[in-house]
Amino acid sequence: MDILLSHGSVLVLIAAAVGFFMAWGIGANDVANAMGTSVGSKALTIKQAIIIAMVFEFAGAYLAGGEVTSTIRKGIIDASYFVDTPELLVFGMISALFAAATWLLIASILGWPVSTTHSIIGAIIGFAAFGVSPDTVAWGKVLGIVGSWIVTPLISGVIAFIIFNSAQKLIFDTDHPLKQAKRYVPFYMMLAGFVLALVTIKKGLKHVGLEIGATEGYIYAIAVSVLVALIGKFYIERLKFDEKASKNDHYVNVEKVFAVLMIVTACCMAFAHGSNDVANAIGPLAAVVGIVDNGGEIVKKTALAWWILPLGGFGIVAGLAIFGHKVIATIGQGITHLTPSRGFAAELAAACTVVIASGTGLPISTTQTLVGAVLGVGMARGIAAINMGVVRNIVVSWVITLPVGAGLSILFFWMMKAVFA
């Protein structure tokens, strides 16, 4: 307790620095995965993808990032074990952030798409279970979170499979694919607009002082989705193609139509990712600030300091802009060959899954969700369309993330105790 009174400001500054470092790692690694499908399908250039991601990742983190923060902060560790020694919880959260951020930096340099959620949760479990006591970890909650890592790739894979197959049947397998694309693509745009609008209205606007009821929220989301569809239809109708061209040329033109749609889904995925994964950086930081501000008292609920969400948002943007290109090609090109229509199906499916999980406060892995969606698209074309070697390497990188995060966290935790004790 005396440590917090005498070094509280220093500890908050350290936590803010490593929180920014963690957000930077999320931007460098996880956001690169999120935009990989857009770049891999050639719907967007790397420069365009980075600009779009910077805008929508920050918007998602700032407007809709508060819901998951509470789960990371309160769900994994039983805070009652730290009532007499709150400084240990502060040391632990800082150590967890530093450990996860360090691993993300290493993985990004090597071009490995790892899970930031795995990293931070493994790090929190590490310092709590081995640095303090195994009893401090709420193992039931941890099992639930681990279960979500298995379930969510399956959900996103199924959704991607359905979306891609619907596009195949409604558009590509018809006698006039270009005509069908102009008819049905606006409906896909409507779905993407609805998902993006709903998470903004239901979750995001309350963080800027606007409270909208459930019924009103759905009405507004439907209105936005219809507007997006009408705008999309207007631009798609203006695309001029030779109707007498061969069917192969029509397929190429249909993919150009889907490339327009990919811009919408890229925005949707970036916003959903920002809203969900910013918690990995700001959750532990919010816990440190709350404990120090309350003079060492660990309260169940504490107001999120105004500067924490922007810090996380800017950190994600900085990591993406500086280091994002290192990982961006792995998912976009390595797992299966992506076209705009396939990339759209994967990206929209992953966005839907992330938004659903974010709304329930469950900290899922965006990386696993997107891989599941890309696999779903690949499976729709047959197992031979999937590069199983790349998939195996990605899974191995996920497996080693947990123990590496835990090990680094324990090391940093002991170092902090030695410095401040």
Side-chain angles (χ1 to χ4, degrees):
M1 190 75 75
D2 292 338
I3 294 171
L4 295 181
L5 294 174
S6 58
H7 299 289
S9 299
V10 174
L11 290 169
V12 168
L13 285 173
I14 294 172
V18 294
F20 184 86
F21 183 27
M22 177 65 185
W24 187 94
I26 293 170
N29 198 289
D30 243 22
V31 180
N33 299 336
M35 300 307 295
T37 48
S38 302
V39 176
S41 66
K42 295 182 171 58
L44 293 170
T45 64
I46 286 184
K47 185 176 180 180
Q48 290 169 336
I50 286 176
I51 292 171
I52 287 173
M54 285 168 67
V55 173
F56 282 89
E57 285 279 343
F58 183 83
Y62 185 69
L63 293 177
E67 198 70 30
V68 215
T69 307
S70 57
T71 306
I72 289 269
R73 191 167 68 241
K74 296 180 295 190
I76 299 168
I77 295 175
D78 187 349
S80 63
Y81 285 88
F82 297 91
V83 171
D84 296 327
T85 54
E87 68 275 5
L88 293 184
L89 184 56
V90 170
F91 295 163
M93 286 300 183
I94 292 174
S95 302
L97 279 173
F98 197 23
T102 301
W103 170 238
L104 286 176
L105 174 62
I106 295 168
S108 298
I109 290 172
L110 296 172
W112 293 346
V114 298
S115 168
T116 55
T117 311
H118 274 210
S119 303
I120 191 65
I121 290 180
I124 289 174
I125 292 170
F127 95 80
F130 297 96
V132 183
S133 167
D135 295 332
T136 60
V137 180
W139 294 107
K141 292 279 183 73
V142 172
L143 287 175
I145 292 168
V146 171
S148 76
W149 296 339
I150 299 168
V151 172
T152 47
L154 290 176
I155 294 173
S156 63
V158 169
I159 295 173
F161 186 90
I162 293 169
I163 292 173
F164 179 70
N165 269 345
S166 70
Q168 282 290 118
K169 287 181 170 57
L170 294 173
I171 298 170
F172 288 96
D173 294 342
T174 62
D175 293 330
H176 303 285
L178 188 57
K179 185 178 178 181
Q180 294 295 94
K182 289 184 176 183
R183 177 183 298 173
Y184 287 109
V185 163
F187 290 101
Y188 291 120
M189 296 190 81
M190 181 184 291
L191 175 60
F194 179 76
V195 171
L196 183 58
L198 192 61
V199 71
T200 308
I201 292 166
K202 300 274 290 175
K203 293 176 66 258
L205 294 182
K206 66 183 178 185
H207 295 295
V208 290
L210 292 175
E211 290 284 353
I212 296 175
T215 305
E216 286 179 284
Y218 281 106
I219 292 171
Y220 289 141
I222 291 169
V224 170
S225 66
V226 170
L227 180 63
V228 169
L230 290 173
I231 293 171
K233 186 173 180 62
F234 173 75
Y235 280 105
I236 290 168
E237 289 294 338
R238 292 182 65 187
L239 295 173
K240 300 297 181 184
F241 301 117
D242 184 6
E243 294 286 346
K244 297 179 181 179
S246 68
K247 203 163 186 179
N248 282 338
D249 288 336
H250 276 211
Y251 288 144
V252 173
N253 291 333
V254 169
E255 292 293 355
K256 289 180 181 178
V257 174
F258 271 102
V260 176
L261 182 55
M262 279 288 285
I263 297 173
V264 178
T265 54
C267 297
C268 191
M269 188 62 197
F271 186 92
H273 179 270
S275 70
N276 188 75
D277 277 38
V278 71
N280 294 332
I282 68 171
L285 171 57
V288 171
V289 174
I291 293 167
V292 172
D293 284 351
N294 288 292
E297 183 184 356
I298 302 172
V299 295
K300 286 187 176 181
K301 288 189 177 180
T302 180
L304 203 63
W306 66 268
W307 53 270
I308 292 180
L309 276 172
L311 180 81
F314 281 121
I316 286 176
V317 166
L320 172 67
I322 297 169
F323 236 37
H325 64 282
K326 290 276 187 177
V327 186
I328 211 162
T330 305
I331 284 184
Q333 299 170 346
I335 297 174
T336 189
H337 176 66
L338 290 177
T339 60
S341 60
R342 297 168 194 162
F344 148 74
E347 216 164 73
L348 183 57
C352 290
T353 308
V354 171
V355 166
I356 291 166
S358 184
T360 59
L362 192 64
I364 64 165
S365 165
T366 313
T367 306
Q368 290 191 335
T369 304
L370 192 65
V371 168
V374 174
L375 282 172
V377 170
M379 288 298 291
R381 298 168 54 229
I383 193 72
I386 299 172
N387 187 334
M388 296 307 293
V390 172
V391 174
R392 184 176 61 249
N393 290 341
I394 290 173
V395 172
V396 169
S397 73
W398 291 348
V399 171
I400 65 171
T401 292
L402 279 170
V404 170
L408 287 172
S409 177
I410 295 164
L411 178 64
F412 293 144
F413 179 69
W414 286 338
M415 288 170 62
M416 285 206 70
K417 281 179 69 177
V419 170
F420 286 97

